[in-house]
Amino acid sequence: MTYVSLTHYASAANCPICGAYAKFEWYYTQVVAIRTKNTKDINNMEFGICAHCNSYTIWVDIRHNVRERDYRMIFPFSGNIPVPNDDLPDDIKLDYKEAASVVNLSPRGSVALLRLALQKLCKHLGEKGENINNDIKSLVSKGLSPTIQKALDSVRVTGNSAVHPGVLDIKDDRETAVKMFGFLNIIADVMITQPKMINEYYEFKVPEGDKIAIEKRDNKG
């Protein structure tokens, strides 16, 4: 299912905390004076509650203008970043989540962490994990899809520019950083999740006799 980012007042979306596609209920904020018990609305803050995990997101209107509202999510800090692919190794998930936690504060720092995650992912895929460019070259020689190669190089180049500023400066470009999270999940899906699903089906569903016949077919010179 496609990840649906949560927007202000959305009736349903993927929760930025639990990741599930769920309904959301929205509430505005009131404060109560301790001594007088008077209540007062806080007109620029609202909460979105996930029906699946009961966690809340906090939104603030940055314009403070009744006619032109512009609510931005300020909690969780990761905003609408999709959760990491379940099949990523745990250490890479930690890098991904750390990158998500700082994306609003430092897009540049976020993509630098994603580049580190990519380096670890290349090693997980059987490469040396010492030089991402060489690892990608090796994967291409093994038949890597040109589309996935472009995704790998996009994260590599963007993350490298974040560490060593050059032509591309993403210091204030959150949108670029957000795209890198999507690319890393796409890479994980194609390189890990899809082969895993296919191999599991082949291993447990294809009869042994058919496997032998397939092997003989493929070994014919």
Side-chain angles (χ1 to χ4, degrees):
M1 182 178 179
T2 302
Y3 187 91
V4 180
S5 294
L6 178 64
T7 56
H8 184 241
Y9 274 165
S11 58
N14 285 94
C15 175
I17 297 175
C18 71
Y21 184 81
K23 292 183 178 180
F24 274 78
E25 292 186 350
W26 296 88
Y27 301 86
Y28 66 88
T29 309
Q30 284 187 331
V31 292
V32 180
I34 296 175
R35 293 182 179 178
T36 64
K37 306 299 182 182
N38 291 331
T39 62
K40 184 177 181 179
D41 293 346
I42 299 179
N43 295 321
N44 70 324
M45 182 180 290
E46 296 187 358
F47 295 83
I49 312 295
C50 172
H52 183 262
C53 68
N54 291 321
S55 297
Y56 60 86
T57 59
I58 304 176
W59 300 69
V60 170
D61 176 19
I62 63 172
R63 292 190 179 181
H64 300 275
N65 187 323
V66 175
R67 295 183 179 180
E68 296 183 15
R69 297 286 193 183
D70 187 4
Y71 280 89
R72 302 289 179 88
M73 188 191 302
I74 62 169
F75 181 83
F77 300 119
S78 58
N80 286 321
I81 302 299
V83 295
N85 184 301
D86 275 344
D87 291 319
L88 282 170
D90 289 341
D91 61 329
I92 299 178
K93 285 181 183 177
L94 286 175
D95 291 334
Y96 184 106
K97 290 177 180 178
E98 183 178 352
S101 71
V102 300
V103 68
N104 290 326
L105 298 174
S106 175
R108 187 174 173 182
S110 184
V111 295
L113 284 166
L114 289 179
R115 188 175 189 273
L116 173 63
L118 178 63
Q119 188 170 358
K120 292 181 180 179
L121 180 57
C122 286
K123 188 172 184 178
H124 178 75
L125 294 173
E127 303 304 324
K128 293 181 178 180
E130 298 172 356
N131 183 296
I132 302 177
N133 194 43
N134 291 340
D135 288 346
I136 295 174
K137 180 180 178 181
S138 176
L139 289 168
V140 169
S141 71
K142 296 174 183 177
L144 179 71
S145 158
T147 302
I148 299 304
Q149 173 259 312
K150 289 178 182 178
L152 285 164
D153 277 322
S154 293
V155 180
R156 175 184 67 85
V157 172
T158 306
N160 190 53
S161 297
V163 179
H164 305 289
V167 177
L168 178 65
D169 184 1
I170 63 158
K171 181 184 287 187
D172 300 312
D173 190 354
R174 183 183 183 278
E175 184 179 352
T176 296
V178 170
K179 283 185 171 64
M180 297 303 105
F181 287 94
F183 287 170
L184 196 66
N185 272 339
I186 290 171
I187 293 164
D189 182 66
V190 173
M191 303 295 289
I192 302 176
T193 303
Q194 292 182 21
K196 175 184 172 183
M197 291 175 59
I198 294 169
N199 289 334
E200 285 179 350
Y201 184 90
Y202 186 86
E203 182 66 27
F204 296 106
K205 296 295 184 179
V206 176
E208 288 300 321
D210 289 319
K211 290 178 184 176
I212 294 171
I214 292 169
E215 186 176 350
K216 287 181 179 179
R217 178 202 66 192
D218 294 341
N219 288 332
K220 287 183 179 179

